[in-house]
Amino acid sequence: SFAALQIKERDYLEPIATQCASRSPKSWDPMSLSLVMQSLANLAFSHGELISSISSQMQSELSSAWPPADVARVTWSHAKLLQKDEGFLRDASCKALARMPEMNPTSLVQMVWAFATIAPSNVTSHFYPRVAETMMETGLADYTSAHLAMVAWSFASVLYRPLPLLAALGKEMPNRADRVNAQDITMVAWAYATLLAPERRSVFAFLGEAATRAVHRFNAQDLSNTVWAFATAGESAPKLFDAVANEVCERGLNLNGQHVA
């Protein structure tokens, strides 16, 4: 309830979290534990004792006891709260690998983003390749444009280049032209430029057209990152660059030195 109402006052949250932590986590089912963690993350409220209690309980149980969606929620919450517990992350990776075929797109993307955000490379050496294989095996039809953009961004942030998946993702994005938003465009452009994906030309052609149509929805950071991505990838997009220049002038955007660079 506090998370839904966005009540973030520590005086209210602290005693509730402390009371939850004092209860034996064995009396809670995985969904309840994962939803408590998600609530903490949504409120940006890091309660060490409660987080440790939930994490320890998850680690003490077998993967068969923890549905993939609950594992993903707890892991995502750790990332949102910047809880870099390597022991927990190793356990989460093992549980995810054991039941990855059962993961729905949202859970899988939550795991990928979380690991890209907080997991050390020695924890993810088997995880990322298996994610790429799973996505290729199941196909991308059930993934939204936001899902695909987040996967691309996550892999690029750790410099992981699953070339077959990047090629498939690049072919799939144009099928979502009516649903792609400014953040999706920026994230995919940044990812393909960072990874120098071989099939990036067709992807950037689509992104250029989509960005030109939606440029009025971009904030200053999105505009800066998108232009940077096109320049870094060596992709010319005169219409987009003109549209960005006009948008900056018309809106009088306050661009700082980082944006201009």
Side-chain angles (χ1 to χ4, degrees):
S1 298
F2 282 96
L5 295 172
Q6 286 295 293
I7 297 174
K8 299 184 179 182
E9 285 79 1
R10 195 172 188 88
D11 289 343
Y12 288 104
L13 297 174
E14 185 74 37
I16 295 173
T18 300
Q19 184 178 6
C20 289
S22 67
R23 296 177 58 184
S24 172
K26 292 182 180 180
S27 65
W28 296 51
D29 60 272
M31 178 178 286
S32 297
L33 292 172
S34 71
L35 290 175
V36 169
M37 277 294 296
Q38 186 178 49
S39 296
L40 293 178
N42 287 336
L43 293 169
F45 179 64
S46 184
H47 189 279
E49 185 181 357
L50 181 54
I51 292 171
S52 177
S53 177
I54 293 173
S55 301
S56 297
Q57 182 61 27
M58 188 176 114
Q59 292 177 73
S60 72
E61 296 183 332
L62 298 175
S63 59
S64 57
W66 274 77
D70 297 324
V71 173
R73 266 194 294 269
V74 175
T75 308
W76 175 87
S77 300
H78 269 71
K80 288 287 285 185
L81 295 169
L82 297 179
Q83 298 290 312
K84 301 179 181 181
D85 181 339
E86 186 169 332
F88 165 81
L89 292 170
R90 287 186 181 280
D91 179 74
S93 176
C94 290
K95 283 181 167 62
L97 287 168
R99 300 183 65 175
M100 193 168 290
E102 301 173 50
M103 279 194 167
N104 61 38
T106 296
S107 296
L108 189 60
V109 172
Q110 282 182 323
M111 290 291 296
V112 171
W113 177 83
F115 275 41
T117 302
I118 60 171
S121 58
N122 61 329
V123 171
T124 58
S125 58
H126 298 294
F127 179 75
Y128 292 140
R130 185 66 188 117
V131 168
E133 291 173 7
T134 298
M135 292 181 70
M136 290 297 293
E137 290 169 0
T138 60
L140 305 179
D142 292 334
Y143 289 80
T144 66
S145 57
H147 287 148
L148 298 179
M150 186 60 74
V151 168
W153 179 90
S154 298
F155 283 155
S157 70
V158 295
L159 300 180
Y160 177 62
R161 297 176 82 228
L163 296 183
L165 178 60
L166 290 173
L169 191 152
K171 292 177 181 177
E172 190 68 30
M173 283 299 291
N175 296 332
R176 293 158 169 70
D178 59 336
R179 287 162 282 174
V180 70
N181 61 31
Q183 187 177 34
D184 299 336
I185 294 168
T186 301
M187 293 173 75
V188 173
W190 181 86
Y192 275 70
T194 298
L195 295 175
L196 293 176
E199 298 81 5
R200 63 184 180 277
R201 177 146 296 178
S202 60
V203 176
F204 275 98
F206 161 71
L207 293 175
E209 294 176 1
T212 301
R213 292 193 301 269
V215 71
H216 59 285
R217 299 192 185 97
F218 282 53
N219 60 33
Q221 190 64 59
D222 289 336
L223 291 172
S224 174
N225 288 346
T226 301
V227 170
W228 174 90
F230 274 81
T232 299
E235 297 296 330
S236 177
K239 292 182 179 179
L240 173 60
F241 294 161
D242 287 345
V244 170
N246 290 335
E247 195 68 21
V248 170
C249 293
E250 289 179 9
R251 277 198 267 167
L253 290 177
N254 182 21
L255 300 180
N256 59 32
Q258 182 182 3
H259 295 150
V260 174

